[in-house]
Amino acid sequence: MLYLEDNVNDVEKISIEYDNTFHAKRHAHKHIEVLYFEKGSGIHEIDGQGIKVGNGDLYILDSGIEHSFHACDESKLLLVNIMFLSEFMGDGIDKNNFIDEIAKRLVGVKSKMPHFIHLRGNVKQGYGVFVKDMLSEYANKEQGYLKILRNSLEVLLIKMLRDYIKGITGTNLTIEQRLRVETAIKTIESDLKGVDARLIVESSGYCSKYFNILFKRYTGENIIGFIRKKRLEYAQTQLQTTQKSIEEICFESGYSDITHFYYNFKQFCQLTPNQYRKKFGGSG
């Protein structure tokens, strides 16, 4: 695992800065990271998942979580990184389970939290203004700035946790149903080439029609559409970051027919695989 040297010193215990880039190779941090995508669109690969990101998307990651990202157009991604030691928010918080512990402290969550949270951009949430106010406060370093940043970060975390919890409970799934859908998602993401939708449905314990209703309620897509999206997002990443042949990427993505792959890819990206590679990379 490649750990980046973070600009977080033992006195401030926090660092906030802009990052303007086309691509960041897979890496991890020894500190907690809040990542705000201010401008641009791309793929954020995190914990083995390729996720489309755009303006206003917000993440929080526990320490040690591997991730990478790259832009999907000719414009760079403009990011704001908020890096901080777990003790910035209080003593005795495990940096490897920061989200779980801080959720219990701040909003009284009883169930286990994930090691990263992704919130889609929404102007109404006001995350952008909040993050940029923190960036300005950190840059100016006026008297009392660390106390303001600590209070601001706590408010930001509470808002993020609230929105995340609303998102997962708004699906109207029971805990058992949600766990079965999440298990199916993990199975799909761990084996895009060999995944079999029929076997996943069977292993859920539900009939196909009912499981697809639950799956769509949780993800916004039926299981077949979700598998297709994940395969094509994987193909995008490979085309942009490797020199593998298109045929190899096609089969690695889980397609057995190159014509079918080309058709689905063009529908998904409005470009053929060759056009996408020519426009966005393949630097290896």
Side-chain angles (χ1 to χ4, degrees), residues 74-85:
E74 295 175 356
S75 300
K76 290 183 178 181
L77 290 166
L78 182 59
L79 318 170
V80 179
N81 280 310
I82 304 175
M83 307 290 302
F84 57 96
L85 302 172

Side-chain angles (χ1 to χ4, degrees), residues 46-217:
I46 176 170
D47 212 20
Q49 304 176 38
I51 305 169
K52 278 191 171 181
V53 292
N55 296 0
D57 279 18
L58 189 67
Y59 282 84
I60 180 171
L61 294 78
D62 278 347
S63 170
I65 301 298
E66 288 191 346
H67 67 132
S68 63
F69 45 82
H70 57 267
C72 281
D73 56 36
E74 295 175 356
S75 300
K76 290 183 178 181
L77 290 166
L78 182 59
L79 318 170
V80 179
N81 280 310
I82 304 175
M83 307 290 302
F84 57 96
L85 302 172
S86 57
E87 54 262 38
F88 185 73
M89 296 302 299
D91 295 330
I93 303 176
D94 182 357
K95 66 180 180 180
N96 298 311
N97 294 286
F98 177 83
I99 298 172
D100 188 58
E101 293 189 18
I102 208 72
K104 291 177 173 63
R105 292 193 186 198
L106 295 182
V107 293
V109 171
K110 295 181 180 179
S111 58
K112 184 73 175 177
M113 295 292 286
H115 286 291
F116 74 89
I117 290 174
H118 173 209
L119 297 170
R120 293 291 182 187
N122 185 331
V123 174
K124 292 181 180 179
Q125 293 168 333
Y127 288 139
V129 173
F130 211 87
V131 169
K132 283 186 277 189
D133 282 347
M134 291 180 67
L135 180 66
S136 176
E137 190 69 39
Y138 181 77
N140 293 328
K141 298 185 188 299
E142 295 183 13
Q143 188 173 7
Y145 75 101
L146 288 176
K147 184 174 289 188
I148 289 177
L149 288 175
R150 188 175 296 107
N151 292 337
S152 296
L153 182 58
E154 182 170 305
V155 173
L156 177 62
L157 291 172
I158 291 172
K159 287 171 65 67
M160 290 178 68
L161 290 165
R162 280 179 179 174
D163 288 335
Y164 174 76
I165 292 165
K166 286 177 185 176
I168 62 173
T169 57
T171 60
N172 295 321
L173 268 62
T174 66
I175 292 175
E176 180 182 356
Q177 290 168 339
R178 180 160 54 86
L179 288 173
R180 293 193 189 189
V181 172
E182 288 176 348
T183 297
I185 291 171
K186 289 178 182 177
T187 301
I188 292 167
E189 291 170 340
S190 65
D191 185 16
L192 288 174
K193 186 176 181 180
V195 65
D196 186 321
R198 180 180 56 83
L199 293 178
I200 289 177
V201 172
E202 288 179 0
S203 66
S204 74
Y206 297 126
C207 72
S208 177
K209 184 176 181 180
Y210 183 62
F211 184 71
N212 262 301
I213 290 172
L214 297 179
F215 196 92
K216 188 169 185 178
R217 193 180 295 168

Side-chain angles (χ1 to χ4, degrees), residues 6-43:
D6 303 316
N7 298 321
V8 183
N9 61 58
D10 291 333
V11 176
E12 290 184 318
K13 297 183 175 61
I14 188 169
S15 173
I16 307 176
E17 58 187 24
Y18 268 122
D19 185 7
N20 197 10
T21 184
F22 284 114
H23 175 68
K25 293 183 178 180
R26 186 178 299 172
H27 65 278
H29 301 276
K30 295 180 180 179
H31 308 304
I32 317 303
E33 180 179 26
V34 173
L35 187 63
Y36 177 70
F37 287 80
E38 182 175 315
K39 186 177 180 181
S41 62
I43 300 294

